[in-house]
Amino acid sequence: MSYANFCSAQLRDMVAHHPFEGITVRNEEKSRLLSSMGNKRLLILRNHGLLSHTHSMPGNTLPISDEIVKGTTRDSLQFSPAHGAGENVLAALIRRVHRIDASYRG
């Protein structure tokens, strides 16, 4: 691994990686997360985010309520093309271009 600056060099031998498995809410992924983390203090969820823990990380995890799980599913669908992801952003950009120069429409 190469280090681009002193900040990244401070993390030598402290970072683990976990492959992307979708939104991290399924119970069966817990053991794989812990396995990926091993004895490292930091975990990068590829294409997802970062996790960290202290020396006294508990063996049990906090449960996620059904309400939060349902909300997470609902919220994540906004990024899916099958559910119109980006349509509102595209429409706003088209309006902006139209205000600048409507001749683009031909």
Side-chain angles (χ1 to χ4, degrees):
M1 174 178 206
S2 63
Y3 300 95
N5 57 49
F6 73 93
C7 293
S8 62
Q10 294 175 55
L11 301 175
R12 180 182 173 158
D13 297 328
M14 297 167 80
V15 181
H17 298 88
H18 181 74
F20 183 65
E21 296 185 27
I23 297 173
T24 309
V25 295
R26 293 181 306 280
N27 281 332
E28 64 270 11
E29 189 175 7
K30 290 177 187 176
S31 62
R32 292 190 298 276
L33 282 165
L34 291 173
S35 177
S36 291
M37 182 168 266
N39 64 351
K40 308 291 185 183
R41 297 194 57 206
L42 305 167
L43 180 66
I44 296 175
L45 301 173
R46 296 185 191 274
N47 297 354
H48 190 74
L50 308 172
L51 294 176
S52 65
H53 70 87
T54 67
H55 292 291
S56 61
M57 182 176 169
N60 296 327
T61 58
L62 298 174
I64 300 173
S65 72
D66 285 342
E67 181 181 342
I68 297 295
V69 172
K70 288 176 186 173
T72 300
T73 301
R74 180 196 64 240
D75 295 344
S76 68
L77 289 177
Q78 69 181 315
F79 302 109
S80 168
H83 291 89
E87 291 296 327
N88 58 344
V89 175
L90 178 60
L93 291 171
I94 290 171
R95 289 192 301 273
R96 179 181 276 181
V97 169
H98 186 74
R99 282 192 302 270
I100 294 169
D101 182 4
S103 67
Y104 78 95
R105 288 191 174 176

